[in-house]
Structure formats: structure tokens, C-alpha cells
């Protein structure tokens, strides 16, 4: 376990555990190393517990994603084709209703996002790991990305569009997150 200390313009001392289990500490400019060390020692129990939680969450995520074998090029191609067969009819259905049209659609084994919309060129990329989700959750991701063609940010207008075109989006998002036990990989004190 490594401890990384960064001095910043902040009013308080904070600490977080990142993916690999390292401890990242942020301290206000001018704070002594002695004060920082005392803070770390005081929170030693929290560090141990949180590192354990982060490791458990990573194991759960690995188990989730490993359900879809993507070790070979053939497996990746097959997964992309299956994802295309699942997603394209949904895009056609919702794009017509919403009055949008993506310029390009692609598929890639992304673990950090279910979909990505490039609002500049109107292309959308979907994760092949969508195959691990229930169909209604996949539908939510498709509508979400298509809504970005109408509204780039996650503001009130975006949420109103989601409410209009996929009213049960909050439930779908909750179900998706539950499947992988939240994708956040850090804890903070």
C-alpha cells in the first residue's frame, strides 16, 4: 500500500482509497507532514476496512464481467455482433420517435461505461457487456445515449427527455448498478 500526499487549495484534510488500494491524501497548503501523519494514523482502522471493501467490490465486478468471455478476437467479434442485434432494433425504434439519428454506431468491450455518445459527430459506442444486463436495462442505455443527441449534459432537460421516452429509467439505472455493486472504485473520508 502506497500513500500519496498532494497539497491543494482546500480547507480540510481528506483521504480516499483508490482502485489499487493505495491511499491518496489531500492536504491544505502549509499543513505540516506531522499533522498529515497523525490524520493517517487516526484513520488507520478506516483505511483497513475501506481497502477491504474496495477489494471485495473489485472481485464482484470481475465476477460480473467475467461472465462474458472476451479473451480472443473471435469472442469479441461474436459479442459485438450479438450486441448489435440487440441494440440496433432499439435504436431504430427510439430514434424514429425521438427524431434523432446517430451518424455511426459501434461496439466495444468497455467496463467503465455502458455507452458513450460523441455529441460533436453524433456517433454512439455501446459496451458489449450490455449482453449481461436484462433487456429493459439495455433499452434504458440506448434511450440514454439517444437523449444525448438532443441534450449533451445530464441537466434537467436531459432528465425530462428520459422521463418522456423511458419513464422507468431510474428503476433501470438502479437495477443496472445493483448488478455490479456500483462502479465507483474509491472510498473517501
Amino acid at each position: 500500500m502506497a500513500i500519496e500526499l498532494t497539497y491543494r487549495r482546500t480547507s480540510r484534510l481528506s483521504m480516499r482509497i483508490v482502485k489499487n488500494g493505495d491511499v491518496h491524501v489531500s492536504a491544505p497548503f502549509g499543513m505540516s507532514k506531522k499533522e498529515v501523519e497523525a490524520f493517517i494514523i487516526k484513520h488507520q482502522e478506516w483505511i483497513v476496512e475501506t481497502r477491504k471493501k474496495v477489494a471485495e467490490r473489485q472481485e464482484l465486478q470481475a465476477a460480473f464481467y467475467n461472465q462474458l468471455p472476451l479473451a480472443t478476437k473471435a469472442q469479441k467479434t461474436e459479442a459485438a455482433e450479438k450486441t448489435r442485434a440487440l441494440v440496433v432494433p432499439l435504436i431504430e425504434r427510439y430514434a424514429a420517435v425521438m427524431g434523432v439519428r446517430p451518424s455511426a454506431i459501434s461496439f466495444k468491450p468497455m467496463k467503465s461505461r455502458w455507452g458513450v455518445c460523441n455529441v460533436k459527430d453524433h456517433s454512439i459506442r455501446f459496451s458489449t457487456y450490455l449482453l449481461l444486463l436484462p433487456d429493459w436495462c439495455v433499452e434504458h442505455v440506448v434511450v440514454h445515449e439517444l437523449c444525448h443527441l438532443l441534450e449533451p449534459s445530464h441537466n434537467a432537460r436531459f432528465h425530462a427527455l428520459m422521463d418522456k421516452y423511458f419513464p422507468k429509467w431510474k428503476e433501470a439505472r438502479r437495477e443496472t448498478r445493483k448488478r455490479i455493486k456500483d462502479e465507483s472504485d474509491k472510498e473517501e473520508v
Side-chain angles (χ1 to χ4, degrees), residues 47-93:
I47 291 170
V48 171
E49 286 300 312
T50 304
R51 289 183 81 228
K52 195 163 97 176
K53 283 184 203 172
V54 169
E56 287 170 1
R57 185 166 38 237
Q58 285 182 306
E59 286 177 30
L60 288 169
Q61 289 177 8
F64 175 81
Y65 289 115
N66 288 340
Q67 294 176 79
L68 185 64
L70 295 173
T72 67
K73 187 174 181 178
Q75 289 172 328
K76 288 177 184 174
T77 301
E78 181 183 356
E81 289 170 5
K82 285 181 179 179
T83 310
R84 179 178 295 282
L86 180 65
V87 167
V88 168
L90 293 170
I91 290 173
E92 289 171 354
R93 180 172 129 208

Side-chain angles (χ1 to χ4, degrees), residues 35-46:
E35 288 177 278
V36 173
E37 288 169 1
F39 178 78
I40 293 168
I41 290 166
K42 179 182 173 187
H43 290 90
Q44 198 64 43
E45 189 176 312
W46 178 87

